[in-house]
Amino acid sequence: MPALLVVDRAVPLVRDVIGRRDGWTSVGTGGLRRIDLPDAVYASARERCTGVDEDRVMAVPVSGAPMHMRGEGAPMPTRAQLRDRRDSPGGAWTGEGVLVGTVDTGVQPHPWLAGGYLSAPSDFEPHPAAGDGAGPTEPLEVGHGTFIAGLVLQQAPAAGVWVERALGPTGEALSSQVAEAAMTLARRGVQVLNLSLGCFADDPNSREVMQQLVDDLHAVSPEMVVVAAAGNLGGPGEPATPEDFWPAALRDVVAVGAVETPTSTRWAEWSNRGRWVDLAAPGSRLVSTFVEGTVATTDGEQLRYEGWARWSGTSFAAAVAAGAIARLMTGRRPLTAKEAVAALRSGAYSSGWTRPDGAVPAVPVVRLATWDQQQAAPTAA
């Protein structure tokens, strides 16, 4: 008697086939169910449900490959700077005691991140020199999780970042893998969950499954907030129409798009946007922690990195917002995660508001704590 794993759009169709819900068994989270079906019913369900045994593929939203840091004249942060900031007079604004979870490609050991992240051995990314298993034409996103962790800690240096690995080196994972990792973090008590990943999905049933995942997360951890990237559109000069990106477009998820520069209120041309976007944050050419080693680009170029890079994408705008929430939670008047989100939505700790863009309303631009500002004692928003 075969077991049918029902994922995404298949759920209501299979219910119609069997006419009942007796015998359903939960598989992970996000509305996934399994049931043992007779062969005839199993075949009927497969015939009526395209992709019935396949998850929705979710990927990291980035723009281009990481840019090399050599020759750009930007001073590199050091591990000492992180320690100094934790002990600074403004330490109440550093995110101390806040746990930020992120589902990503994993993390790599990095001197600057030391003491700022938690990760099991299985959650470490493969080192580029060790081989990543990707084909020569596949885009590599090794280092994405390490980059995210560094951005969160730039905004809230004394916070803890719990990295749960679900995405492969190509930056992709099945929705069930993301759901399992997210639920693990919720059970561990993270106050802020960062999801710098997602997908464009036209199927309403797929969206229902993702909404069930968010509902399940909040059932486990009612006070936790979920922050998600709004997604990227086409590359420079490529025409693209903004559309819903999931899970960012779900209710009870803080959706974050990207602006051009830390001082700009103009949307980055590749940033997705819509009525469902709650915040914007700098997401272009940000500096953060990265791998140490040689990474091959999609055009065959070999780039050597020394632990730092510049990168662009709504992935990184979301990480900036997640770090800002942790920062606000340890301010002069400590806030809960939900109160911090409300403060950001009202314009607190912002550098301005985006301009309305057609049907897209103006939203606050989260302030970026830059490297050179970190040595000064922070002030209240």
Side-chain angles (χ1 to χ4, degrees):
M1 192 177 292
L4 176 63
L5 181 63
V6 182
V7 188
D8 294 342
R9 56 184 174 275
V11 173
L13 295 178
V14 173
R15 285 178 183 166
D16 181 56
V17 168
I18 64 174
R20 59 183 176 82
R21 295 189 58 178
D22 298 342
W24 288 84
T25 303
S26 295
V27 179
T29 59
L32 307 186
R33 299 289 187 270
R34 186 187 70 200
I35 188 170
D36 292 329
L37 300 176
D39 290 340
V41 177
Y42 178 78
S44 174
R46 285 188 57 84
E47 182 178 349
R48 297 176 59 184
C49 306
T50 303
V52 66
D53 57 354
E54 296 179 0
D55 284 332
R56 174 73 59 179
V57 175
M58 308 183 85
V60 297
V62 296
S63 180
M67 295 164 277
H68 206 359
M69 284 303 303
R70 289 182 179 271
E72 296 197 21
M76 292 295 93
T78 66
R79 179 177 179 178
Q81 285 179 304
L82 174 63
R83 311 307 303 189
D84 290 347
R85 288 199 300 277
R86 286 181 171 177
D87 299 331
S88 70
W93 274 81
T94 60
E96 185 173 4
V98 179
L99 190 57
V100 179
T102 181
V103 177
D104 220 285
T105 59
V107 68
Q108 295 196 22
H110 193 289
W112 193 84
L113 297 177
Y117 71 93
L118 303 105
S119 187
S122 60
D123 293 321
F124 281 89
E125 292 179 306
H127 192 280
D132 44 60
T137 61
E138 292 179 300
L140 300 183
E141 308 301 352
V142 170
H144 188 272
T146 305
F147 202 92
I148 292 291
L151 285 172
V152 172
L153 290 174
Q154 287 178 51
Q155 314 312 307
V161 181
W162 202 315
V163 184
E164 190 72 13
R165 182 183 176 189
L167 306 176
T170 60
E172 296 180 338
L174 299 177
S175 55
S176 59
Q177 295 171 307
V178 172
E180 182 179 357
M183 187 60 72
T184 295
L185 291 170
R187 293 192 181 106
R188 288 174 179 165
V190 302
Q191 292 126 302
V192 183
L193 176 63
N194 180 77
L195 298 177
S196 287
L197 49 81
C199 64
F200 294 100
D202 296 329
D203 189 346
N205 293 323
S206 294
R207 301 196 293 269
E208 289 176 9
V209 169
M210 293 185 217
Q211 182 65 64
Q212 185 62 53
L213 164 61
V214 175
D215 293 344
D216 289 347
L217 290 171
H218 285 140
V220 171
S221 182
E223 298 305 313
M224 181 183 69
V225 299
V226 180
V227 179
N232 294 351
L233 303 174
E238 297 180 11
T241 302
E243 58 180 298
D244 293 354
F245 191 71
W246 311 92
L250 297 173
R251 65 177 185 270
D252 299 327
V253 173
V254 182
V256 186
V259 292
E260 291 179 338
T261 68
T263 59
S264 173
T265 57
R266 183 189 298 273
W267 291 103
E269 66 173 330
W270 40 260
S271 174
N272 197 11
R273 66 208 75 165
R275 289 184 177 274
W276 46 272
V277 174
D278 301 286
L279 301 168
S284 297
R285 296 178 61 83
L286 299 184
V287 178
S288 189
T289 47
F290 195 59
V291 303
E292 184 173 352
T294 300
V295 177
T297 64
T298 52
D299 58 7
E301 184 180 4
Q302 302 285 322
L303 295 179
R304 173 72 188 180
Y305 290 92
E306 303 295 338
W308 304 97
R310 289 185 185 272
W311 213 346
S312 302
T314 56
S315 272
F316 313 127
V320 169
I325 292 169
R327 191 180 186 95
L328 287 172
M329 289 174 67
T330 52
R332 294 175 181 174
R333 291 189 303 107
L335 305 174
T336 66
K338 289 184 177 181
E339 289 171 341
V341 169
L344 289 177
R345 283 175 169 159
S346 70
Y349 200 69
S350 73
S351 58
W353 290 67
T354 62
R355 299 175 183 175
D357 184 358
V360 181
V363 298
V365 179
V366 178
R367 191 186 311 166
L368 175 70
T370 59
W371 293 113
D372 56 352
Q373 294 171 336
Q374 294 289 9
Q375 292 292 18
T379 58

